[in-house]
Amino acid sequence: MAHWERFRSAARRVVLPFLILAAAALGQEPDAVPMFVQGGYKSQAAYDKWLSVWRGKYVASNGTVPEVPSENLPDCLRSSSTKVIFSEGGVASGVVSEGIGYALMVEGIQAFNGDSEGLAHGLALARSWLGMVQGPGEVLQGGGDGTYASATQVDVWPYGVSAIEALGEESWLLPAGLPTWKYPVDLCEGKGGCHGSAADADSDAILGLIYLTAALKYPPDMVDVVIRSIIAFASADLGFPDLYRTMQDGTKIFVPKGGSDWGGVLPTDGKFHTSQVPGCYSPGYFAPSHYRMMRAFAVNNWRTTFNSYLPPTLEGVSTTLGMLTEAFDGAVVAGYNILYYSSCSSGATSNWVGVKSDCAKEGDLHCEGVPWSSTPWVGESGTCTASGTTFGAYGAEASRTPWRIAMDFVIYPEWATQVTIYDRAGQVDMSANFNAKTYLNRFARQYMAHA
């Protein structure tokens, strides 16, 4: 209960456009940055205005995303009608999971803070999200390539389980997990149209589902949906249980992927090869507070029946809740270390950076290795890009980094300021002083000096 009371208090401070300002102002170091933007009425008024504009973009789905039968939904979603938000520009036309993820996160937080309108919007968006997971046809889509096995089996490309069917007492529920990143799927060229998930959208949406479930006092059917979504995220987007690198002290490092079928430390070749440029990573996708909250939700709401949802290793070995939490811990360590080696003194980082860390045997998924050994480059001097944004530029992808790190500092200040930094050889660097607060204060100093 104490955890959730702190969670509620922190949620009240999560005002996305001003989150970094609030976080930087909380610094208590000897050289702490003083508050340079005053909160209170003006910040709240600006947020309220932004929220009203944002909500004005919600529209009825009208079949843009798949509809699912009400009888297969959690009770709280059955009376809701699907809502979507359309995106424009770059590759993000149509309805993209990114937009739904942002909306679900915002409305989940609003609902948790007692906003009835936020609850209504959140439930409608959650129904849309689950429809996107199911897909447009009879075959479960998830983050796979259009086949049932690619979404539900860990040993079928792409690596990981992106959609999980309900079992036991909740077997009447529809599958839960990660959706294809764009709808309608025929907006993408190629066989089967759009496929594969987007890791940034997935983490935002699941955070929203967690807040919604907490606002509703944890109905068992919603808890089941969220647990399956969390496991799918860990597997398809983080690489649980097989895709990792091991530090010299034995710590397993799970590098967040760009989506279910590309990025992170997926191999260039072999059965589970990346579908896009290898060794590529976006610091703006790193969401440590989301990972911590997924971990906490799983631990606090775990039932023995959920063990059957956990994917086995490629060797067929059963996994455990402890192994799942290890993956989330490893993803937090990975993200902060990559950020340490890829961010400037101003706080700026690139849309895309390198995390090349190939195993000696082609196609292997885990081995000893240091993903940030050559960061920000891909290897000695290579570059990479995805989503139409540029390597070496602080653009649309990179600009998400500060607010994602700020969320970690606002919600989990004691953990966000205790980060283990490794050197480029994979040994703990005791001299390094880097964490959420030190990173955010870089932005604050840059603003004060040059704004």
Side-chain angles (χ1 to χ4, degrees):
M1 182 62 70
H3 170 83
W4 285 104
E5 284 304 315
R6 182 185 62 185
F7 179 30
R8 183 180 299 277
S9 177
R12 293 192 182 102
R13 301 199 301 272
V14 178
V15 180
L16 295 179
F18 301 96
L19 196 51
I20 182 173
L21 309 183
L26 292 174
Q28 297 299 317
E29 299 173 326
D31 60 340
V33 176
M35 184 180 291
F36 55 89
V37 173
Q38 198 71 27
Y41 170 75
K42 291 183 178 180
S43 293
Q44 185 64 50
Y47 174 71
D48 290 343
K49 179 62 177 178
W50 170 83
L51 183 61
S52 67
V53 172
W54 176 257
R55 285 175 169 172
K57 296 181 179 295
Y58 299 161
V59 296
S61 170
N62 292 327
T64 305
V65 301
E67 294 286 349
V68 290
S70 293
E71 61 266 23
N72 297 124
L73 289 167
D75 287 344
C76 62
L77 302 182
R78 293 181 178 182
S79 61
S80 297
S81 298
T82 52
K83 290 182 181 178
V84 297
I85 183 168
F86 284 89
S87 301
E88 297 179 358
V91 298
S93 59
V95 173
V96 295
S97 60
E98 208 169 47
I100 301 296
Y102 286 147
L104 190 46
M105 176 177 64
V106 169
E107 300 300 356
I109 291 171
Q110 290 293 127
F112 187 72
N113 283 332
D115 179 0
S116 58
E117 186 177 358
L119 179 61
H121 286 313
L123 295 175
L125 292 160
R127 181 165 184 157
S128 298
W129 182 265
L130 291 174
M132 293 167 70
V133 174
Q134 178 61 48
E138 295 183 1
V139 177
L140 177 59
Q141 182 93 358
D145 65 1
T147 66
Y148 177 82
S150 68
T152 60
Q153 296 181 24
V154 73
D155 60 348
V156 176
W157 189 92
Y159 175 78
V161 172
S162 58
I164 302 173
E165 294 178 299
L167 299 171
E169 295 180 358
E170 314 294 347
S171 60
W172 52 272
L173 287 167
L174 80 174
L178 318 179
T180 292
W181 73 280
K182 190 175 189 176
Y183 278 88
V185 295
D186 59 10
L187 289 176
C188 300
E189 298 179 355
K191 182 180 178 180
C194 304
H195 60 80
S197 71
D200 56 332
D202 300 335
S203 63
D204 291 337
I206 294 172
L207 183 72
L209 290 174
I210 290 173
Y211 274 110
L212 275 175
T213 304
L216 295 166
K217 308 301 183 185
Y218 305 98
D221 50 5
M222 274 295 286
V223 169
D224 186 277
V225 165
V226 175
I227 288 291
R228 284 184 284 135
S229 300
I230 288 171
I231 295 171
F233 176 84
S235 185
D237 286 344
L238 298 184
F240 170 74
D242 290 289
L243 183 63
Y244 60 85
R245 296 294 180 265
T246 305
M247 297 292 99
Q248 293 191 20
D249 62 2
T251 299
K252 290 182 179 179
I253 298 297
F254 290 79
V255 178
K257 295 151 67 179
S260 56
D261 61 17
W262 70 279
V265 293
L266 280 171
T268 304
D269 301 301
K271 181 177 180 178
F272 298 109
H273 62 87
T274 179
S275 67
Q276 297 191 47
V277 60
C280 201
Y281 170 90
S282 176
Y285 286 22
F286 174 50
S289 64
H290 301 38
Y291 308 161
R292 297 188 204 274
M293 202 167 294
M294 290 186 217
R295 183 193 194 281
F297 188 94
V299 169
N300 293 335
N301 295 279
W302 197 259
R303 302 196 294 260
T304 56
T305 54
F306 293 156
N307 291 327
S308 59
Y309 293 146
L310 292 167
T313 68
L314 289 175
E315 291 74 32
V317 178
S318 297
T319 56
T320 65
L321 173 62
M323 296 169 71
L324 178 68
T325 61
E326 183 182 40
F328 284 112
D329 293 340
V332 171
V333 174
Y336 271 114
N337 274 267
I338 297 166
L339 186 61
Y340 176 66
Y341 288 103
S342 63
S343 56
C344 303
S345 59
S346 63
T349 187
S350 172
N351 291 313
W352 304 99
V353 302
V355 290
K356 186 177 176 62
S357 179
D358 295 336
C359 294
K361 183 178 179 182
E362 184 179 284
D364 277 4
L365 296 186
H366 57 264
C367 58
E368 290 187 1
V370 185
W372 48 87
S373 61
S374 60
T375 302
W377 303 108
V378 183
E380 185 176 345
S381 58
T383 65
C384 68
T385 184
S387 297
T389 51
T390 307
F391 181 91
Y394 183 77
E397 311 290 348
S399 63
R400 312 172 206 189
T401 308
W403 68 258
R404 291 194 186 280
I405 301 302
M407 286 189 73
D408 196 29
F409 184 65
V410 170
I411 299 174
Y412 295 107
E414 69 278 24
W415 296 342
T417 52
Q418 298 179 32
V419 177
T420 300
I421 298 297
Y422 293 83
D423 63 23
R424 292 188 184 272
Q427 295 183 326
V428 175
D429 185 352
M430 300 301 295
S431 66
N433 178 28
F434 185 79
N435 53 53
K437 184 167 64 175
T438 59
Y439 172 76
L440 293 169
N441 280 339
R442 293 180 180 184
F443 269 93
R445 293 189 183 94
Q446 179 76 5
Y447 182 90
M448 293 179 68
H450 300 288

